[in-house]
Amino acid sequence: AEGAYLKREDAIRKESEYFIKCARSTAADSLIKVFLGDQYLKKVSKKVSKEAAPIKNAAVLGAGIMGGGIAYQSASSGVSVLMKDINQPALELGLTEAGKLLSKQHQRGKITAEQMNGVMGAITPTLTYGDFGNIDFVTEAVVENLDIKNKVFADLENQISDDTIIASNTSTLSINDMAKSLKKPERFCGLHFFNPVHRMPLVEVVRGEKTSEETIGRAVAYSLQMGKTPIVVNDCSGFLVNRILFPYLAGFTKLIEDGIDFQRIDKVMEKWGWPMGPAYLLDVIGIDTADHCTHVIGGAYGDRMKFGEGNIINLLYKAERLGQKNGKGFYTFAPDKRGRVKKAYNEDIESFINEAKKGSSDLLDEEIVERMMFPMLFEAVRCLDEKIVESHIEVDMGLLLGLGFPPFRTGVLKYADDVGLANVVKNAEKYVNLGALYEIPESLKTKASENETFYQGAQ
């Protein structure tokens, strides 16, 4: 705009000034690291899957929304897939989910009717294990119940060949616990897709204590065949992404308890860069799903992830306000004139907020950001300390690809670098009285005292 009224040479000079400012910005640096991080993940995946034979025939156990999404993703990439469930209505649900995704692509002109029919033809619904003897890879996506999953695995192992890989799409249960029921735990791993499967690029390939490297290689290869970006993680409750997400959500519930308006929190975090604020995110995840995860993950990590009695998520769950699933959560949801679901504020949420509230605080926007982001950062540091993943790059890329972390900030570890680790530690000290959630990891204090950064000398 400024250059439009200048002579050519002056306009070029003006453009150069702004370009230099842009190129030197933290946003530019972060986006460059996103690009390099993507290249790093491709390099690692290629190395891990180098010896793996490609998957030709796959199967999915459980034909719900996730099962149908996984079957669609597999068939769309040219890998034929059996989709098994215990009754016909469940199979129809899975086929309907795949059909909806294909119909949308056809309506937008991205695929032809012939291509759509070809993908649907590559998904074979079944109520039996009859054709499982020729399957290379089975992904289990049944209900999140350890006893039910173990029963499914016991039946499955008797129906497949010795070379077939078994993976669970669990988001909360331990891969090591499930492996105990298997005759050949070395061929078992986690393959955690994110919802919606067709949109979310990340897949967590979860290594159990007895998982073989061959199994990991084939799981990574299958993920790549489906057009996904795999990150190999070691088993722990919540794996990498959900383990780091739930301290963020715990920080949100504590802000509610301190009387901070949830709509303000959403606006502050969206302005910070998140695609949606935490209240809206919980509605999208599903309040029932979030409540279940708070109990599982909270039980695994003790005080720092215990959400406490009467937290807002549990109150909404008990009142059957499940978010987008049934049109009521923190917000209400209804289709507009074009049929698009829109969120709106509903005053009856205030009774739940008042029940969860324990006090009243006056916080600055930057303090809201710190109270949301510091718990996430601290858990990310612990994941590095415990070798849940091999590198800081995988932590940040996992959050970006699995949660939609603001790409112009790269990830939570790059965010800490940009703030300055010494500044993070100093600013976090004023929150330690809020409980274990805000306890600063010793390794972070050490890095700060030695003037180190997570990305120091990296890439």
Side-chain angles (χ1 to χ4, degrees), residues 434-454:
L434 296 175
L437 182 66
Y438 291 91
E439 183 179 335
I440 307 167
E442 289 301 319
S443 63
L444 183 62
K445 292 179 182 178
T446 301
K447 267 187 177 295
S449 67
E450 295 177 358
N451 294 319
E452 293 182 1
T453 64
F454 291 103

Side-chain angles (χ1 to χ4, degrees), residues 106-122:
H106 181 241
Q107 289 168 8
R108 294 170 182 167
K110 292 186 175 181
I111 59 173
T112 65
E114 186 179 357
Q115 288 172 318
M116 182 173 74
N117 292 333
V119 173
M120 287 301 294

Side-chain angles (χ1 to χ4, degrees), residues 342-355:
K342 295 289 184 181
K343 71 178 174 75
Y345 176 73
N346 193 320
E347 290 184 359
D348 66 5
I349 186 65
E350 292 302 325
S351 62
F352 299 98
I353 296 293
N354 290 332
E355 188 176 350

Side-chain angles (χ1 to χ4, degrees), residues 10 70 114 145 218 247 392:
D10 293 334
I70 295 167
E114 186 179 357
N145 180 292
R218 297 196 76 189
H392 59 282

Side-chain angles (χ1 to χ4, degrees), residues 145-147 149-151 153 168 170 172-182 185 188 206-211 235-237 239 296 300:
N145 180 292
L146 184 60
D147 292 336
K149 287 182 186 289
N150 286 343
K151 184 178 183 304
F153 292 140
S168 175
T170 182
T172 58
L173 299 177
S174 168
I175 297 302
N176 290 327
D177 287 346
M178 283 185 277
K180 292 174 184 176
S181 67
L182 293 168
F188 178 66
V206 189
R207 180 193 283 110
E209 290 176 358
K210 296 186 178 180
T211 306
D235 187 35
C236 67
S237 184
F239 310 137
V296 175

Side-chain angles (χ1 to χ4, degrees), residues 33 392-393 413-414 417 421 447-448 450-459:
K33 282 183 168 55
H392 59 282
I393 304 167
L413 299 177
K414 175 62 166 57
D417 279 356
L421 300 192
K447 267 187 177 295
E450 295 177 358
N451 294 319
E452 293 182 1
T453 64
F454 291 103
Y455 281 81
Q456 189 173 38
Q459 299 179 339

